[in-house]
């Protein structure tokens, strides 16, 4: 028996998890807009190379990206705070969700009542995906340690898949850029000038995203090492602190990739745990 299975579906816990998703969705929406503009403006520059208007837009956009970065980080931090309180409650480490967290999640629910109701009613396999049964691999037969280990594994494995997909997308974009430069027979100096000056906003975003993915992957590996080497409660809480730090990293855990690949990853995890249980 464990606390995770039933606590995660209590109304207050569902509301907090929905509040986390609400803020993270806002971060994702801003980030998606960010990427679309980053890709669109340079494409326009290819067709109007000497356009003063496009150059002016690029300059304005470069400074605007700092504001967008701030907004993405802000909503990611709010989402991370809600998720951390949700986890600590369902793991049984705290008896109740803090009052200020419950209060702020209720205020947010009042702003989006229909969306919250749908999120709290649906699970991760429904359409649209909701927050009910958040840790779906956990069964009533799991003890507390097994349940927490499964929850950590879900957190890590989904992120690892998203990060891998992001790597592929970003290096695909870089490959396209280099291919275009090759066929246009751009000198190396012009290539550097184009990437780091003309497309400064795009290069800044690519570099920061790759850096954030690397930091996230490092934390995921550290958490996996803790899970494989220890079952102590203090070690689990340290791993949770690492997860909180990872969730503060913005612009990587995109729900679009999660939604597209969630079923595939879940089936893979089910097979993994069923195999381990059969071996035991």
């Amino acid at each position: 028996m464990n606390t995770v299975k039933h606590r995660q579906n209590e109304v207050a816990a569902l509301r907090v998890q929905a509040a986390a998703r609400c803020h993270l969705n806002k971060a994702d929406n801003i980030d998606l807009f960010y990427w679309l503009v980053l890709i669109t403006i340079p494409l326009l520059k290819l067709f109007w190379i000497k356009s003063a208007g496009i150059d002016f837009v690029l300059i304005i956009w470069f400074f605007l990206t700092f504001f967008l970065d701030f907004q993405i980080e802000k909503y990611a931090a709010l989402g991370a705070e809600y998720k951390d309180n949700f986890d600590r409650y369902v793991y049984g480490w705290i008896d109740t969700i803090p009052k200020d967290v419950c209060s702020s999640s209720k205020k947010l629910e009042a702003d989006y009542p229909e969306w919250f109701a749908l999120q709290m009613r649906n699970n991760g396999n429904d359409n649209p995906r909701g927050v009910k049964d958040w840790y779906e691999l956990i069964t009533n037969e799991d003890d507390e340690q097994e349940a927490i280990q499964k929850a950590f594994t879900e957190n890590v494995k989904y992120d690892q898949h998203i990060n891998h997909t992001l790597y592929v997308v970003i290096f695909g974009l870089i490959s396209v850029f280099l291919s275009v430069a090759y066929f246009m027979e751009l000198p190396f100096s012009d290539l550097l000038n184009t990437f780091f000056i003309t497309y400064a906003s795009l290069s800044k975003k690519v570099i920061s995203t790759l850096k954030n993915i690397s930091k996230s992957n490092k934390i995921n590996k550290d958490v996996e090492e803790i899970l494989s080497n220890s079952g102590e409660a203090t070690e689990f809480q340290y791993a949770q602190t690492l997860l909180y730090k990872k969730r503060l990293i913005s612009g990587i855990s995109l729900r679009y990739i999660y939604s597209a690949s969630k079923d595939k990853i879940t089936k893979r995890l089910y097979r993994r745990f069923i195999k381990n249980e059969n071996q035991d």
Side-chain angles (χ1 to χ4, degrees), residues 82-105:
Y82 280 117
K83 278 184 168 291
D84 190 59
N85 280 283
F86 172 86
D87 282 346
R88 292 182 183 278
Y89 175 67
V90 301
Y91 295 163
W93 296 345
I94 56 177
D95 293 329
T96 58
I97 299 172
K99 290 183 179 179
D100 60 325
V101 176
C102 288
S103 177
S104 60
S105 64

Side-chain angles (χ1 to χ4, degrees), residues 217-227 238-239 242:
N217 285 340
K218 173 65 168 58
I219 292 175
N220 281 329
K221 288 181 180 178
D222 290 342
V223 171
E224 284 188 313
E225 186 174 347
I226 291 171
L227 296 180
Y238 175 62
L242 292 178

Side-chain angles (χ1 to χ4, degrees), residues 180-225:
V180 171
Y182 174 79
F183 285 111
M184 293 178 66
E185 298 182 348
L186 284 178
F188 185 69
S189 58
D190 289 350
L191 179 64
L192 292 178
N193 179 75
T194 301
F195 190 72
F196 290 105
I197 298 178
T198 305
Y199 299 160
S201 298
L202 179 59
S203 59
K204 177 170 75 74
K205 181 64 170 174
V206 168
I207 292 170
S208 65
T209 301
L210 290 175
K211 179 181 176 182
N212 286 344
I213 292 174
S214 178
K215 289 164 60 178
S216 176
N217 285 340
K218 173 65 168 58
I219 292 175
N220 281 329
K221 288 181 180 178
D222 290 342
V223 171
E224 284 188 313
E225 186 174 347

Side-chain angles (χ1 to χ4, degrees), residues 15 18-19 22 105 108-109 112-120:
R15 186 184 294 114
C22 183
S105 64
L108 195 59
E109 181 185 26
Y112 310 99
E114 294 182 2
W115 184 86
F116 264 76
L118 186 62
Q119 285 292 303
M120 294 166 67

Side-chain angles (χ1 to χ4, degrees), residues 1-273:
M1 191 64 181
N2 60 81
T3 61
V4 181
K5 184 67 176 176
H6 67 273
R7 278 193 174 189
Q8 67 178 351
N9 286 329
E10 293 177 3
V11 173
L14 289 171
R15 186 184 294 114
V16 167
Q17 188 66 282
R21 173 167 284 185
C22 183
H23 285 303
L24 293 174
N25 283 356
K26 291 178 181 179
D28 281 353
N29 289 338
I30 296 172
D31 203 48
L32 178 62
F33 168 74
Y34 197 149
W35 277 107
L36 289 175
V37 176
L38 281 175
I39 295 170
T40 301
I41 295 179
L43 287 176
L44 293 176
K45 182 65 177 175
L46 289 175
F47 293 100
W48 291 282
I49 297 175
K50 296 184 178 180
S51 171
I54 298 295
D55 289 339
F56 180 74
V57 171
L58 283 168
I59 294 170
I60 298 298
W61 172 250
F62 178 79
F63 289 104
L64 181 59
T65 60
F66 289 98
F67 172 73
L68 295 179
D69 287 334
F70 170 77
Q71 291 295 106
I72 293 169
E73 290 172 6
K74 180 184 75 173
Y75 287 121
L78 289 169
E81 191 69 30
Y82 280 117
K83 278 184 168 291
D84 190 59
N85 280 283
F86 172 86
D87 282 346
R88 292 182 183 278
Y89 175 67
V90 301
Y91 295 163
W93 296 345
I94 56 177
D95 293 329
T96 58
I97 299 172
K99 290 183 179 179
D100 60 325
V101 176
C102 288
S103 177
S104 60
S105 64
K106 286 180 179 178
K107 290 180 180 178
L108 195 59
E109 181 185 26
D111 293 332
Y112 310 99
E114 294 182 2
W115 184 86
F116 264 76
L118 186 62
Q119 285 292 303
M120 294 166 67
R121 183 172 63 249
N122 287 4
N123 62 34
N125 300 309
D126 292 326
N127 185 21
R129 301 187 191 279
V131 299
K132 187 178 180 182
D133 299 322
W134 185 257
Y135 293 121
E136 58 185 309
L137 300 178
I138 296 170
T139 66
N140 287 319
E141 288 70 35
D142 294 326
D143 62 31
E144 202 68 38
Q145 178 176 315
E146 290 171 333
I148 294 174
Q149 283 182 319
K150 284 185 176 181
F152 273 113
T153 301
E154 285 191 52
N155 280 316
V156 168
K157 292 302 179 184
Y158 283 117
D159 269 4
Q160 286 177 332
H161 181 84
I162 291 171
N163 290 347
H164 174 74
T165 305
L166 263 180
Y167 263 136
V168 172
V169 171
I170 290 174
F171 282 111
L173 287 173
I174 293 174
S175 298
V176 170
F177 174 80
L178 292 176
S179 298
V180 171
Y182 174 79
F183 285 111
M184 293 178 66
E185 298 182 348
L186 284 178
F188 185 69
S189 58
D190 289 350
L191 179 64
L192 292 178
N193 179 75
T194 301
F195 190 72
F196 290 105
I197 298 178
T198 305
Y199 299 160
S201 298
L202 179 59
S203 59
K204 177 170 75 74
K205 181 64 170 174
V206 168
I207 292 170
S208 65
T209 301
L210 290 175
K211 179 181 176 182
N212 286 344
I213 292 174
S214 178
K215 289 164 60 178
S216 176
N217 285 340
K218 173 65 168 58
I219 292 175
N220 281 329
K221 288 181 180 178
D222 290 342
V223 171
E224 284 188 313
E225 186 174 347
I226 291 171
L227 296 180
S228 63
N229 294 334
S230 176
E232 297 294 329
T234 53
E235 291 297 313
F236 282 148
Q237 294 199 30
Y238 175 62
Q240 180 65 24
T241 301
L242 292 178
L243 280 185
Y244 175 69
K245 290 181 179 179
K246 183 186 69 174
R247 288 165 174 165
L248 290 174
I249 301 172
S250 59
I252 53 174
S253 299
L254 304 178
R255 77 177 188 275
Y256 309 104
I257 299 176
Y258 166 80
S259 296
S261 55
K262 191 266 178 191
D263 293 339
K264 177 182 177 181
I265 305 170
T266 302
K267 289 178 182 178
R268 187 184 304 164
L269 288 173
Y270 266 120
R271 287 195 298 268
R272 170 182 171 176
F273 283 115

